[in-house]
């Protein structure tokens, strides 16, 4: 496999050169599998999915996926007695960029709790150019199905049918979004985005604060909601046809508005994430690993909160 990255994949590769933009998945278990079984299952996934064997290399100003060693695997085993919690490990992974030309685009960590009270965790860190939410969920299902075999000998010399490598999202755009039509739509979209950004900067002049600090680090902010409240929230969201992703985005904006801007009236810029898979030609199923999504920027006027 050797193919050029698409425009959004390239944006993620460029971002990774400056700071981490990772997708981290945590799978909690009462008791994690033996290390050799986890290694064997991860190697099966690497044989099945081309992007798990890939590197991202640069040729001039272009980025490319390049085939790597099928047997190479990044798996670290940690124990709770080392003074770190699994949350500390996840925060480290969120902060750690990939050396994308030299290492696999998936790092795996097996975190074992020595006293057994907190359970064990498998932590999977993906370069975001190779995974989106649907394919990440599918990878977890595949991994759990493989671990359910409970016998490493079942993986020895297993014949794995590899998936064909896919192209970038742009190559699957419908006809109305290709060639001159795509260029015209892009020009119109960019004009609206530039206008929205200019208006936002003008309205927030003197009050806008940098969203990212160079010395900042990722932190997990856990929130536990009782089952009754979470059920009520899900029912209300379905009734109003609001996705959980939109609810979380709204909660994030409200937290920024409250803690950074003291709930004062001010416009904020944010983004929504669109899953492109159902709209491509042909539509792509979740089985295929890849980052087939887009991040769409928008502005919102936040109202003051009293009391």
């Amino acid at each position: 496999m050797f193919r050029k990255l698409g425009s959004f994949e390239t944006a993620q590769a460029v971002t990774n050169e400056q700071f981490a933009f990772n997708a981290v998945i945590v799978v909690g278990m009462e008791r994690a599998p033996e290390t050799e079984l986890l290694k064997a299952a991860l190697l099966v996934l690497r044989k099945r999915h081309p992007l798990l064997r890939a590197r991202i290399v640069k040729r001039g100003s272009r980025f490319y996926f390049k085939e790597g060693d099928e047997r190479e695997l990044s798996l670290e085993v940690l124990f709770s007695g080392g003074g770190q919690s699994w949350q500390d490990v996840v925060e480290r992974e969120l902060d750690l960029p990939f050396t994308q030309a030299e290492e696999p685009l998936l790092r795996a960590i097996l975190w074992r709790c020595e006293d057994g009270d907190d359970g064990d965790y498998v932590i999977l860190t993906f370069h975001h150019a190779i995974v989106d939410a649907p394919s990440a969920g599918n990878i977890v299902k595949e991994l759990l199905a493989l671990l359910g075999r409970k016998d490493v000998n079942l993986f020895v010399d297993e014949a794995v049918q590899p998936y064909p490598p896919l192209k970038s999202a742009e190559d699957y755009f419908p006809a109305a979004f290709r060639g001159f039509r795509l260029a015209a739509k892009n020009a119109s979209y960019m004009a609206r985005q530039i206008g929205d950004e200019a208006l936002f900067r003008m309205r927030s002049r003197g009050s806008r604060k940098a969203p990212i600090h160079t010395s900042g680090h990722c932190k997990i902010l856990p929130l536990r909601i009782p089952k009754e409240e979470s059920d009520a929230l899900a029912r209300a969201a379905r009734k109003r046809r609001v996705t959980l992703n939109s609810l979380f985005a709204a909660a994030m904006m409200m937290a920024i508005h409250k803690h950074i801007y003291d709930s004062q009236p001010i416009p904020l810029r944010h983004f929504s994430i669109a899953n492109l898979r159902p709209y491509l030609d042909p539509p792509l199923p979740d089985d295929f690993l890849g980052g087939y999504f887009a991040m769409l920027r928008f502005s919102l006027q936040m109202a003051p909160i009293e009391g």
Side-chain angles (χ1 to χ4, degrees):
M1 178 180 61
F2 189 84
R3 79 155 173 88
K4 185 175 69 174
L5 270 65
S7 58
F8 197 57
E9 293 168 336
T10 297
Q12 293 161 319
V14 171
T15 300
N16 182 82
E17 291 185 325
Q18 307 303 318
F19 55 86
F21 181 44
N22 301 335
V24 181
I25 301 174
V26 181
V27 183
M29 304 177 178
E30 290 185 3
R31 182 62 181 168
E34 294 302 319
T35 304
E36 291 304 313
L37 179 62
L38 179 57
K39 284 182 180 179
L42 290 171
L43 285 172
V44 170
L45 293 180
R46 283 177 58 78
K47 292 180 182 179
R48 185 177 295 164
H49 296 280
L51 289 179
L52 292 183
R53 304 191 299 272
R55 306 285 187 277
I56 296 178
V57 297
K58 199 171 185 180
R59 299 287 186 268
S61 61
R62 302 280 190 178
F63 289 89
Y64 297 83
F65 285 123
K66 180 181 178 182
E67 185 86 6
D69 183 356
E70 184 179 280
R71 300 294 302 179
E72 187 176 2
L73 181 66
S74 175
L75 175 60
E76 184 179 6
V77 181
L78 300 175
F79 296 89
S80 58
Q84 283 186 318
S85 68
W86 67 266
Q87 292 95 332
D88 295 329
V89 176
V90 172
E91 289 173 357
R92 183 198 73 182
E93 287 297 300
L94 287 167
D95 280 326
L96 184 62
F98 281 86
T99 309
Q100 51 194 19
E102 301 174 7
E103 67 172 314
L105 302 179
L106 166 64
R107 297 191 297 259
I109 296 173
L110 176 57
W111 191 91
R112 292 193 181 279
C113 182
E114 292 185 307
D115 58 19
D117 293 337
D118 192 36
D120 298 333
Y121 296 87
V122 176
I123 301 167
L124 305 175
T125 303
F126 296 86
H127 191 298
H128 223 323
I130 71 165
V131 75
D132 52 19
S135 59
N138 186 70
I139 280 287
V140 171
K141 292 178 182 178
E142 289 187 32
L143 178 62
L144 292 177
L146 291 168
L147 294 177
R149 300 181 181 186
K150 301 184 185 304
D151 184 356
V152 70
N153 293 320
L154 295 176
F155 294 100
V156 176
D157 298 326
E158 175 170 328
V160 177
Q161 183 63 40
Y163 289 160
L166 298 184
K167 302 175 183 178
S168 64
E170 291 93 327
D171 292 299
Y172 296 103
F173 282 177
F177 293 87
R178 294 181 183 175
F180 175 77
R181 295 178 181 179
L182 175 60
K185 291 178 184 292
N186 277 344
S188 174
Y189 174 75
M190 290 302 297
R192 293 196 302 272
Q193 285 288 297
I194 292 171
D196 195 26
E197 181 71 25
L199 185 61
F200 163 72
R201 294 193 177 209
M202 181 179 68
R203 289 179 174 175
S204 61
R205 184 181 301 165
S207 59
R208 188 163 56 95
K209 300 178 181 178
I212 298 176
H213 297 274
T214 55
S215 61
H217 296 282
C218 292
K219 297 292 291 183
I220 297 176
L221 301 177
L223 175 64
R224 293 185 180 274
I225 303 176
K227 183 178 185 304
E228 295 77 12
E229 293 182 17
S230 61
D231 289 345
L233 180 63
R235 287 195 298 271
R238 283 194 295 268
K239 182 177 180 181
R240 292 167 174 79
R241 303 186 70 180
V242 176
T243 66
L244 288 178
N245 182 66
S246 295
L247 284 175
F248 294 146
M252 187 185 304
M253 292 190 74
M254 292 176 67
I256 292 171
H257 183 219
K258 176 180 179 181
H259 294 290
I260 296 181
Y261 295 102
D262 197 28
S263 301
Q264 297 303 306
I266 187 174
L268 291 181
R269 290 278 277 169
H270 198 47
F271 59 84
S272 61
I273 299 177
N275 175 17
L276 299 180
R277 287 174 180 262
Y279 308 103
L280 299 177
D281 185 19
L284 295 182
D286 299 348
D287 310 59
F288 293 93
L289 205 64
Y292 297 97
F293 66 101
M295 299 170 67
L296 308 176
R297 294 267 284 170
F298 65 91
S299 297
L300 186 66
Q301 179 64 41
M302 304 297 291
I305 300 176
E306 299 179 357

